[in-house]
Amino acid sequence: MTPVFERQLVAWFESWVPIDNVMILAYVGEGRPKCLFAHSKEKSVHASFDSAYCTGIYLLDPFFVLDRAGASSGLYRLEDIVPDYFSLSDYYLKYYRDTNILDEMTYLVRISPEVSIHICLGRDTSSGRKFVTAEWENALKIQPVVTALAVRNWSDFAAVQDEGRRDGEDAMTEFWNQFRKMYGVVLTARQSQTALLIVRGHSSSSIARLMGVSVQTVKVFRKQIHMRCSISSQAELFAMMMPILVKIGER
């Protein structure tokens, strides 16, 4: 991507939807994301991308979670996909809050089941405004063009990354294996799923809905997790998980 193309790309987006920042990311499986392009008016927006986001906390990003759940190519707005306790989630408190982003919508372009491109358009404190309905509708109008642009410019890069990715266990399997080795704690599949949803900011009722169980069952899972890990809070759970997220992010 040349500097001229970069300027033209930002100008083209802004002709349709006034934005404060844009970032284009490539994901392969659950591996560390690759930033293909970033532009922002407010320096804090992308300041901790390498030092925080890429260290493993990206595994808690609602857009990444949506992607890995198999979502189809499309335009998604942050407020429509975040867990109900997003502002209290570890992802928000440890990373997202410091970006000063107020609103975000992302074009998810699926190159293959394992490879995707995210084109993230944001509003931050430099404008102090969120996207309005008319701007969302404009963003939807250009979705076919954005998808074609992503496929044309970055699918080859993503394919090369896919061919070179590490074989064997995926990031989540590796995560729980590392968790067991580090702490001597083994969680069942349901307990592991519950633990991840907790640190992603979901309430018991939200977890129950996603897992197809009762709220009471989720409370039992929470209690079991606390007992097995010898902890009493979400903060302690995140403190246990963060070093492993960092290790996986560095691979």
Side-chain angles (χ1 to χ4, degrees):
M1 184 184 290
T2 66
V4 173
F5 178 72
E6 292 175 357
R7 291 194 296 271
Q8 291 175 338
L9 180 66
V10 173
W12 182 72
F13 274 124
E14 291 185 331
S15 70
W16 283 93
V17 183
I19 56 174
D20 297 330
N21 58 79
V22 58
M23 178 174 260
I24 301 175
L25 303 172
Y27 290 97
V28 179
E30 300 202 14
R32 183 173 180 167
K34 172 68 175 180
C35 178
L36 304 176
F37 173 68
H39 165 81
S40 63
K41 300 173 183 176
E42 169 58 50
K43 292 183 178 180
S44 63
V45 171
H46 301 138
S48 58
F49 176 79
D50 289 321
S51 62
Y53 186 81
C54 286
T55 59
I57 206 168
Y58 68 87
L59 292 166
L60 307 180
D61 182 349
F63 285 115
F64 177 80
V65 175
L66 176 77
D67 185 325
R68 291 299 88 201
S72 58
S73 295
L75 178 64
Y76 299 89
R77 190 166 176 175
L78 182 66
E79 66 180 25
D80 295 329
I81 66 168
V82 294
D84 41 9
Y85 287 174
F86 179 63
S87 63
L88 299 177
S89 69
D90 292 299
Y91 174 75
Y92 180 85
L93 296 174
K94 302 293 184 181
Y95 171 71
Y96 201 79
R97 178 176 58 182
D98 293 335
T99 67
N100 289 311
I101 294 176
L102 303 178
D103 200 3
E104 188 175 2
M105 50 186 172
T106 293
Y107 294 97
L108 190 164
V109 182
R110 191 165 295 288
I111 306 300
S112 73
E114 285 295 307
V115 179
S116 60
I117 302 295
H118 289 200
I119 301 176
C120 314
L121 308 183
R123 286 274 178 76
D124 53 56
T125 52
S126 63
S127 69
R129 298 183 295 118
K130 291 188 174 184
F131 293 112
V132 298
T133 301
E135 292 166 339
W136 166 260
E137 292 173 348
N138 279 344
L140 281 173
K141 290 178 183 177
I142 62 174
Q143 181 185 331
V145 179
V146 174
T147 299
L149 183 72
V151 171
R152 178 177 179 179
N153 285 276
W154 301 296
S155 60
D156 288 345
F157 166 84
V160 170
Q161 296 297 308
D162 190 26
E163 291 175 2
R165 72 190 178 95
R166 199 169 75 177
D167 295 328
E169 60 192 11
D170 61 31
M172 285 296 97
T173 300
E174 181 183 352
F175 176 88
W176 290 115
N177 284 339
Q178 291 292 332
F179 193 87
R180 173 180 55 79
K181 292 176 182 178
M182 184 174 292
Y183 302 111
V185 174
V186 178
L187 300 179
T188 67
R190 286 299 216 180
Q191 291 166 351
S192 299
Q193 185 179 5
T194 300
L196 280 174
L197 290 171
I198 289 172
V199 298
R200 284 170 174 165
H202 290 272
S203 65
S204 291
S205 59
S206 177
I207 295 172
R209 184 175 65 256
L210 291 169
M211 294 179 60
V213 299
S214 69
V215 173
Q216 186 57 41
T217 298
V218 174
K219 291 180 179 179
V220 171
F221 289 153
R222 281 179 176 268
K223 184 176 181 180
Q224 292 170 341
I225 293 167
H226 284 185
M227 290 181 63
R228 292 198 179 194
C229 296
S230 299
I231 59 175
S232 58
S233 69
Q234 176 179 325
E236 290 177 281
L237 178 61
F238 184 78
M240 293 180 71
M241 296 172 73
M242 191 58 199
I244 307 173
L245 291 173
V246 171
K247 183 181 293 186
I248 291 176
E250 292 175 342
R251 62 192 177 145

